[in-house]
Amino acid sequence: MTTPVITVLLPVYNGAAEVVRAVDTVLNQTFGDFELLIINDGSRDDSAAVLDGMCDPRIRVVHQANAGLAATLNRGIALAQGRYIVRQDQDDWCRPSRLEKQLAYMEAHPDCGLLGTWAEIWVGDTPSERVHDHPVTHGLLCFDLLFNNPFVHSSVMLRKDVLQAVGGYSTDPARQPPEDYELWSRMARQCTVANLPERLLVYREMPQSMSRTGDNPFQDKLVTLCAENLAFANRLRVPNAACIDAAAFTHSALHRLSPRPSMRRMLQVVQGAGERIAADSGEPEVLRKTEERIAILRYQFMLRQTHAHWVRPLLRPLRNLFNKFRSR
C-alpha cells in the first residue's frame, strides 16, 4: 500500500447518532488519496459498534480510554500517515470538493501551514442564514488571532511537519480548551495561515455542545491567550498589564482587569500590534481593522467607567443591524 497524501482525523465521543453522515461526506470527496483515521475516545454510547461496522478500506479505527480532545488529536497526529492532516468533527459535513481544493492551495503555497475554509452554519439538520466567512489573508488573520479564533476547527488542513514542530495541541488544562485557538496562535508565529473563500464545510450547531450552552468555561483562558498574542505582537516576552487589560475588556472578563487600567497604554499595545502585523504582512487593510478594534475598546472602557453595562443589551440589536448593513 502507498502512503496517503492526506490523513483525515476524526475524533469521536458519543457520536453514534451523527458520525455515519459525517464519514460519508469524507468518503465522497472528489480527491481520493487519503486515509480516514477515526479515534473513538472512550465513547459510552454505541459509537464503537457503529465504527467497527464501517468497511471502507480507507478507514482506520482506533479505540482508546477517554483522554479528552487535545490528547486524542495529538495521538491522531502521531498515527497519521499523510503529510497533510485534515480535521473533521463527528457532526459536521464536508462539501465534495473540500480536500481537492485545500490540497491544491497547500501545494501551491508551501509556506502555508494552516488552511481553513469558510463554512455554512446549520442548527442540527436545518440551514440557517448565518455563515463563518472569516478573513482569508495572513495579515488579517494574524490580527484577528490577537483577540479571537478566525478559523473553523473542523475546516482546517494542516501540514504535519509544522504541527509537530510547534508541539501539537496543548494538553495543559490552564491553556485549553480552546485547544484550537491556542494552537493556531502558536502556528501563526511560525508559518503563513489562510482561509479559502469558499464554504466547503457545513458547521452544525448541536444542542449537546457544551461550548454553546450554559456558562462559558473558556473565558479566563481566552483572556490569557489574547494577552499572550498581544504581547508577542509587541515584542514583549510576557504580557504586561496593558495586554491583560485589553484582553479582559475584549472578552468581558472584568475580574481580570488590573486595579487601574490605562486606556492610553491599552491603545498603545493594540496600535503597536496592528502596525507591526500590517508592516510584516504588507497588508494595509490591517490598519483599518486596528482602528475598528480601538473603537470597540474605547466603547468597552467607557461602559465600565460610567457603570453603564446595563445599556449593552439594549444597544445590541442596533449594533447587529448596523453590522448587517455594513456587510452588504
Side-chain angles (χ1 to χ4, degrees):
M1 293 181 64
T2 59
T3 302
V5 174
I6 295 170
T7 294
V8 179
L9 177 53
L10 197 166
V12 173
Y13 180 70
N14 294 344
E18 302 293 339
V19 70
V20 172
R21 180 69 183 274
V23 166
D24 284 344
T25 69
V26 175
L27 298 179
N28 290 325
Q29 291 292 298
T30 56
F31 178 83
D33 189 8
F34 65 86
E35 64 168 346
L36 174 53
L37 175 57
I38 306 176
I39 303 183
N40 174 28
D41 186 31
S43 296
R44 289 180 282 183
D45 64 355
D46 295 331
S47 292
V50 170
L51 297 176
D52 286 340
M54 296 179 179
C55 57
D56 190 288
R58 293 170 291 181
I59 295 176
R60 184 160 48 122
V61 176
V62 175
H63 300 285
Q64 66 179 31
N66 183 255
L69 180 57
T72 299
L73 293 174
N74 283 340
R75 187 179 186 198
I77 294 167
L79 293 172
Q81 299 179 67
R83 66 177 183 270
Y84 297 104
I85 294 178
V86 165
R87 278 285 291 109
Q88 173 69 29
D89 282 343
Q90 66 187 25
D91 44 19
D92 292 341
W93 303 333
C94 292
R95 293 307 186 194
S97 61
R98 175 191 169 184
L99 296 187
E100 178 182 354
K101 291 181 176 179
Q102 285 189 288
L103 179 64
Y105 184 95
M106 293 291 262
E107 295 280 87
H109 299 83
D111 58 331
C112 183
L114 162 61
L115 176 66
T117 79
W118 288 355
E120 304 171 37
I121 300 175
W122 290 33
V123 179
D125 294 338
T126 304
S128 77
E129 296 182 356
R130 295 174 294 128
V131 295
H132 284 302
D133 284 1
H134 294 299
V136 300
T137 60
H138 177 75
L140 291 174
L141 287 167
C142 284
F143 185 81
D144 276 7
L145 277 167
L146 294 175
F147 306 98
N148 269 302
N149 180 8
F151 294 94
V152 181
H153 196 177
S154 191
S155 80
V156 299
M157 175 178 281
L158 309 148
R159 291 188 192 273
K160 183 178 179 180
D161 58 350
V162 176
L163 265 178
Q164 293 174 320
V166 301
Y169 291 86
S170 173
T171 56
D172 181 353
R175 299 183 62 77
Q176 60 82 33
E179 60 287 313
D180 50 351
Y181 178 42
E182 198 277 344
L183 177 57
W184 313 155
S185 297
R186 286 186 284 119
M187 290 188 70
R189 301 168 191 170
Q190 305 295 327
C191 66
T192 300
V193 299
N195 272 318
L196 286 182
E198 292 186 67
R199 296 174 194 146
L200 300 177
L201 183 82
V202 173
Y203 176 83
R204 299 172 68 222
E205 294 181 344
M206 307 299 288
Q208 68 269 24
S209 174
M210 78 166 183
S211 64
R212 303 184 194 101
T213 58
D215 294 335
N216 183 355
F218 308 148
Q219 187 185 52
D220 275 315
K221 296 163 191 173
L222 287 171
V223 171
T224 296
L225 299 175
C226 177
E228 288 178 359
N229 291 341
L230 284 167
F232 181 86
N234 280 279
R235 311 297 194 262
L236 300 173
R237 290 181 57 197
V238 294
N240 60 19
C243 294
I244 297 171
D245 288 339
F249 275 116
T250 296
H251 295 287
S252 301
L254 302 186
H255 64 284
R256 292 286 300 273
L257 290 173
S258 62
R260 298 184 65 181
S262 166
M263 186 76 240
R264 178 179 62 83
R265 291 176 180 170
M266 285 189 289
L267 295 185
Q268 285 177 342
V269 298
V270 174
Q271 187 74 41
E275 289 176 352
R276 286 183 177 88
I277 292 172
D280 291 346
S281 65
E283 296 180 38
E285 298 89 351
V286 173
L287 297 177
R288 177 186 57 80
K289 295 204 75 171
T290 303
E291 293 304 314
E292 291 176 355
R293 175 55 60 178
I294 285 174
I296 292 171
L297 187 56
R298 288 185 185 277
Y299 168 73
Q300 293 168 323
F301 186 79
M302 178 273 295
L303 288 181
R304 179 181 182 274
Q305 294 301 98
T306 59
H307 305 285
H309 288 88
W310 60 271
V311 175
R312 296 183 73 174
L314 302 179
L315 294 178
R316 188 173 294 116
L318 293 176
R319 187 167 63 250
N320 292 340
L321 184 63
F322 171 76
N323 290 335
K324 180 178 179 181
F325 279 101
R326 188 179 66 173
S327 64
R328 289 183 174 179

